[in-house]
Amino acid sequence: MASSKLTTKSLTHDPSHYAKTFSVYARLSAKYQVLATWTDTVFPSVIVDKLSPVSNAEEKLNILGIGSGTGGMDCNMITQLLKKFPSIANTVLEPAADHIEGYKKLLESKGFGSDVDFNWRQQTWDEYYKECKQVNQIKKFHFISAIHSLYYVEDLESTILDLINCLEEGGVLLMIAVSDDSGFWRLWKRFPMFADDLYRQINSGDIRRILDTHQIGYKAITQESRVDITCCYEDGNQDGVLLTDFLNHVVNLRECSSQSFVDEVLSYMRGEDCTVQNGDQLLFNNDWQAIIVTK
Ligand SMILES: C[S@@+](CC[C@H](N)C(=O)[O-])C[C@H]1O[C@@H](n2cnc3c(N)ncnc32)[C@H](O)[C@@H]1O
């Protein structure tokens, strides 16, 4: 392996660069389209139908989003949940101010009105849970989602157990992460030096193993998805620069590493472990897995 002359930091250290790279990735992976289809076709039967009706007519369905980002997926889920539960109280944990702003902007076009209350909390999961424990008030939720955000928690195992502890009896936890045979996972495994104190390279297999160890039942559903990474190999293509950073989860890979190391990363990304060629397109394997626990 070539020397990285490593001065890279994970994207989590630079929220504004993170937001830029994420938006290129979302566009080139049709991320929200795939998630929207999943929410329309799979989510109703594996989650909404499993949620018991709330115990009295006055009670709202309490839901918690961990790392909700700009809310694209959360709003789709809320739309489905409203078909069964007329009134929802939604707590949103999101440390990035820009993402909360983006989520609020998106809501302007959703027309949820007074059917959904929002409790905005600009903080990480660890900050939130520590605060709850300090005041000895662990709020319970009927539905909790952590969609591509468990990479950022301090300890995956204790977080999963704590999330289950935060579920009401009959409640449902949805966790989504890159799948253990995705291109993402192979790329991260090949370059473990990109992980740091704010970001850990985990996959859906890690989540399943923790649940197995604790003999907690779950349902796992894999979703195929591809990202077109052709632009990463076009000289001067700015989308390609940002997408390379997002896939590797680093800030400015090309500026912070030796040319030989960048070449090695780019070559591995397009290799058969991670990518298939389709005509002129290079399609990176972006498969993810949803893991669902019902309490
Ligand atoms: C990959 S994005 C996913 C966003 C959204 N869930 C989606 O699927 O579109 C990860 C999100 O987690 C947030 N995040 C980062 N660290 C976090 C932490 N420790 N706790 C909760 N959320 C975190 C980021 O700000 C970002 O919005």
Side-chain angles (χ1 to χ4, degrees):
M1 203 182 286
S3 157
S4 60
K5 293 217 178 94
L6 203 62
T7 52
T8 52
K9 278 195 195 146
S10 84
L11 278 178
T12 328
H13 289 269
D14 186 342
S16 106
H17 192 67
Y18 185 107
K20 277 192 227 154
T21 63
F22 181 69
S23 86
V24 173
Y25 161 76
R27 173 161 45 84
L28 293 173
S29 62
K31 175 184 162 80
Y32 291 115
Q33 209 174 306
V34 174
L35 282 171
T37 306
W38 194 86
T39 317
D40 288 349
T41 55
V42 182
F43 183 78
S45 60
V46 298
I47 305 231
V48 184
D49 289 355
K50 299 287 179 281
L51 285 166
S52 321
V54 285
S55 42
N56 68 63
E58 304 291 296
E59 200 187 349
K60 292 171 186 282
L61 185 83
N62 280 311
I63 68 174
L64 171 66
I66 294 161
S68 299
T70 47
M73 174 70 171
D74 291 31
C75 284
N76 291 338
M77 293 192 293
I78 289 169
T79 300
Q80 293 298 334
L81 289 166
L82 281 172
K83 293 181 182 170
K84 179 166 171 184
F85 301 96
S87 194
I88 293 177
N90 183 18
T91 300
V92 179
L93 299 186
E94 173 47 64
D98 288 355
H99 283 175
I100 293 185
E101 210 176 293
Y103 194 156
K104 289 182 176 170
K105 184 124 197 57
L106 178 66
L107 282 176
E108 289 168 14
S109 63
K110 292 293 167 187
F112 294 143
S114 59
D115 295 343
V116 188
D117 292 341
F118 284 87
N119 174 15
W120 302 101
R121 304 189 66 135
Q122 191 194 332
Q123 60 189 166
T124 66
W125 157 257
D126 290 284
E127 289 164 350
Y128 166 80
Y129 200 62
K130 268 177 210 141
E131 222 175 274
C132 293
K133 281 196 296 194
Q134 266 162 13
V135 293
N136 206 14
Q137 276 181 1
I138 309 287
K139 184 172 160 51
K140 300 279 182 179
F141 295 91
H142 301 102
F143 173 56
I144 300 176
S145 62
I147 297 171
H148 290 300
S149 53
L150 291 174
Y151 317 112
Y152 312 110
V153 298
E154 284 170 18
D155 182 282
L156 182 63
E157 181 167 14
S158 62
T159 296
I160 291 175
L161 299 177
D162 291 339
L163 289 173
I164 293 172
N165 184 38
C166 290
L167 281 179
E168 294 276 9
E169 280 308 313
V172 178
L173 167 63
L174 166 66
M175 295 171 281
I176 291 184
V178 299
S179 72
D180 35 346
D181 58 1
S182 62
F184 257 118
W185 179 246
R186 297 210 175 102
L187 181 64
W188 294 351
K189 202 161 75 174
R190 173 69 178 250
F191 299 105
M193 64 288 271
F194 292 147
D196 62 21
D197 54 330
L198 293 184
Y199 151 71
R200 287 146 207 100
Q201 292 163 327
I202 61 120
N203 65 44
S204 59
D206 297 318
I207 299 174
R208 294 196 314 272
R209 271 186 292 282
I210 289 167
L211 294 170
D212 288 339
T213 302
H214 291 274
Q215 298 178 326
I216 296 167
Y218 59 86
K219 186 177 177 71
I221 301 168
T222 303
Q223 172 64 51
E224 246 192 36
S225 168
R226 300 287 174 264
V227 197
D228 184 352
I229 62 166
T230 318
C231 59
C232 300
Y233 302 90
E234 291 166 2
D235 277 348
N237 188 316
Q238 196 52 25
D239 278 358
V241 171
L242 294 171
L243 183 58
T244 305
D245 280 357
F246 186 81
L247 296 182
N248 291 286
H249 215 279
V250 291
V251 182
N252 296 330
L253 176 73
R254 284 170 164 87
E255 286 166 27
C256 301
S257 307
S258 63
Q259 186 58 48
S260 60
F261 182 65
V262 174
D263 290 345
E264 181 180 333
V265 173
L266 287 169
S267 158
Y268 190 71
M269 271 167 50
R270 69 184 297 163
E272 62 183 9
D273 279 357
C274 303
T275 293
V276 291
Q277 181 132 13
N278 179 23
D280 291 340
Q281 281 184 315
L282 291 168
L283 299 178
F284 183 86
N285 180 322
N286 182 41
D287 290 358
W288 47 263
Q289 198 169 55
I291 296 169
I292 297 146
V293 176
T294 304
K295 190 164 175 183

